Amino acid sequence: MRLALLFGSLTLALLLAVWTTQAPTPRPADAPQTAFSATRAMVDIEQIARAPHPVGSAEHTRVRAYLNARLNQLGLEVSEQTGALSPAAIKRLISKGGDPVAANNEAINVIGVLPGKDRSQPAVMLMAHYDTVVGSPGAADDTAGVASILEAVRAIKARGPAERDLVVLLTDAEEMGLEGARIFFGGHPLRDRIGSVVNLEARGGGGRAAMFETGRESGPMVRLFTRSAARADGGTTATSLAAFMYERMPNGTDFTVPKDRGIGGLNIAFIGRADQYHAAHATPENLDRGAIQHLGSQALEAADDLLRAPALPQKGQNLVYSDVFGRWVIAHSQGMGWALLALTAALAGFAAWRARQGVRLSFRQVGMGALDGVWFLTGGVILLQATRLLAGPMSSRIESKEVYYTLMRRLPWMEVGMSLAIAGLALLLLAGMRRTRPLATAGLAVALTAIVLIGGGFSPVMLGMGAVAAVLSLVPGRVERSIWGGWLGLIALALIVGLVLQMKTPEAALLFVWPALLAAGAAALAALIDPTLTRPAALAPAAAATIVGGAWLMGIAHFVFLGVGIDLPGVMALLALLTLLFVRPLAPEGKSTRIVVLAAAVCLIAGAGMNLSSQALAPSPPAAKAVSQ
């Protein structure tokens, strides 16, 4: 029974996660005039992205003239702003094969203003950049954003006059270091009138568009966005965790410039089909129309709400928020996290009390369950790092752009391969291998650590992770096996980490708080049904939690891996650990464990093979050469 529930619930969770990560169906050209239509936006994309148009090229001049004409056609007050390129931007353009002299060492922004009813109010800005890197037509990056803005402006006009001005800023030289945004916010007369910014970006050629960044102290802005996103085609993908992580990364977009000036807003982008990033084949034909629909629909609804609001959102305490399956957004105050943690502790405590009555659960058993979690996390990081090396060298974009673009092409195979590898380790944990085969698991941890340190270079973090995994493999574990101990031990571990994050970074704590609450609720219900966990009905709450919670975490894992998987593959181990919060009580017993061990071996071998074969399936791309010419 447990074996069927284990694989059945995981399969349903995976199917649900796949469904929730799909982009919406693009609307046709005859869609209502007040709606966003990807088909209509594609007309502009096909014109703009006919060829690469980096700063200084003849195509760049043609595209700028086309954008001026389109903004005039939409009835906006159109102007251009010229500013000098910085020495760093000039150097970067030359290194890529561009010609700053042909551009007179200048960037030229295209600006359009749609007047509102009250022009004294702060204005709303829609922003995207129209330049591309050398060698790429940039159908996604960022023609998709530019065309989405043009279509959104058309739909906004069709909805009637707005309360305040809409400013369209199509920046130049973003690829050279955010030059156009710097020039506008550095001295344009309109800069001090901008109250909110909605920026559109792309890294890749498709997938769902995520709202991944806000201004600082953005609670009221997020409240507005949750309402507008509910009307967008396909809902939204958004978490405060993503905003928290992006704030601490070295990456930047045009939105960085107004954000640093204290202006609030939203940054929306899609990052799927990563092989098209800065690639020669990033053409209109290869672009995902569903991604355009999702990007533009969110931008339209958010901008329209901002334009028609009685007052723009002011600064306020950051919220903890996340979409649920891309269809709803749950948001709450940071302080609510403490209440959720208290509820989690109460539910877990009730389950432990019932389990102690039913099967004499001991603190030692719970402690061993928590150690299982630490072993899995540390061993998982090492395993994924070793598996990652099979796909190519560890190299960030800063260290080697050619290697980075190559790895971007391999990203889909890497995601599947590392998902299989971490699933294999999870199955080994469920089969009890850490406790029943201590020498074998310790030896595996040592071998994987050696591979990581030799193949990827010395890292004290990786050395420490490997050492912890090896030592924990040897910790005596031959106590009476306890399903309750393993389950509640993982919940206790998540609860402790959640408490620490709630104190330090409450916006990121939801990653532990919400799954721990769901798992504790399932445990309490299971304990109420049957504290011995022998009746099939008692396992139903865990199976249901696996489907719902597992699908939610898998969806997050997909977007996190697309964002940071090349450099930080170990993050998949953390998300897999949280999934085990639901799966742990479904661990089979007796002879069924052999099937689980066999499945684990298949996953591990297939995961390694998938990453290794990616080198042949996706060799060094022509795009890497194109962007360096």
Side-chain angles (χ1 to χ4, degrees), residues 557-574:
H558 171 65
F559 288 103
V560 168
F561 188 83
L562 288 178
V564 301
I566 288 178
D567 298 315
L568 298 172
V571 70
M572 297 283 278
L574 175 61

Side-chain angles (χ1 to χ4, degrees), residues 329-364:
V329 178
I330 298 176
H332 61 73
S333 66
Q334 295 181 10
M336 179 61 72
W338 293 110
L340 298 179
L341 286 167
L343 180 58
T344 301
L347 291 170
F350 172 78
W353 172 69
R354 289 279 291 172
R356 186 168 179 81
Q357 288 184 324
V359 295
R360 296 183 179 181
L361 176 70
S362 67
F363 285 110
R364 176 177 170 80

Side-chain angles (χ1 to χ4, degrees), residues 60 64 80-83 106-110 130 170-172 183:
H60 182 270
R64 187 173 73 252
E80 292 185 348
Q81 178 196 20
T82 301
E106 293 176 334
I108 304 175
N109 293 327
V110 179
Y130 72 91
L170 306 179
T171 65
D172 194 9
I183 291 168

Side-chain angles (χ1 to χ4, degrees), residues 251-340:
N251 309 57
T253 68
D254 277 337
F255 185 72
T256 303
V257 179
K259 178 178 178 178
D260 287 344
R261 287 179 56 87
I263 301 173
L266 307 164
N267 205 357
I268 308 173
F270 56 81
I271 58 174
R273 300 189 184 183
D275 62 297
Q276 294 184 41
Y277 181 48
H278 287 179
H281 63 283
T283 62
E285 293 75 21
N286 292 327
L287 189 59
D288 178 7
R289 271 64 168 172
I292 302 300
Q293 187 65 43
H294 201 217
L295 179 74
S297 183
Q298 289 183 75
L300 166 61
E301 299 303 338
D304 194 65
D305 274 2
L306 289 168
L307 286 166
R308 302 179 195 281
L312 292 179
Q314 300 301 304
K315 291 185 177 181
Q317 184 186 59
N318 288 333
L319 296 178
V320 178
Y321 62 91
S322 175
D323 72 279
V324 179
F325 303 143
R327 299 304 183 269
W328 312 277
V329 178
I330 298 176
H332 61 73
S333 66
Q334 295 181 10
M336 179 61 72
W338 293 110
L340 298 179

Side-chain angles (χ1 to χ4, degrees), residues 114-139:
L114 180 65
K117 296 177 184 177
D118 185 355
R119 307 204 68 179
S120 66
Q121 293 193 50
V124 175
M125 172 177 282
L126 279 169
M127 178 167 62
H129 70 89
Y130 72 91
D131 66 305
T132 68
V133 295
V134 177
S136 175

Side-chain angles (χ1 to χ4, degrees), residues 20-56:
T20 62
T21 54
Q22 301 304 301
T25 302
R27 292 208 186 198
D30 60 355
Q33 292 300 300
T34 55
F36 183 93
S37 164
T39 305
R40 289 192 288 250
M42 283 302 302
V43 175
D44 288 316
I45 291 174
E46 289 166 356
Q47 290 297 317
I48 297 170
R50 294 193 320 204
H53 42 280
V55 175

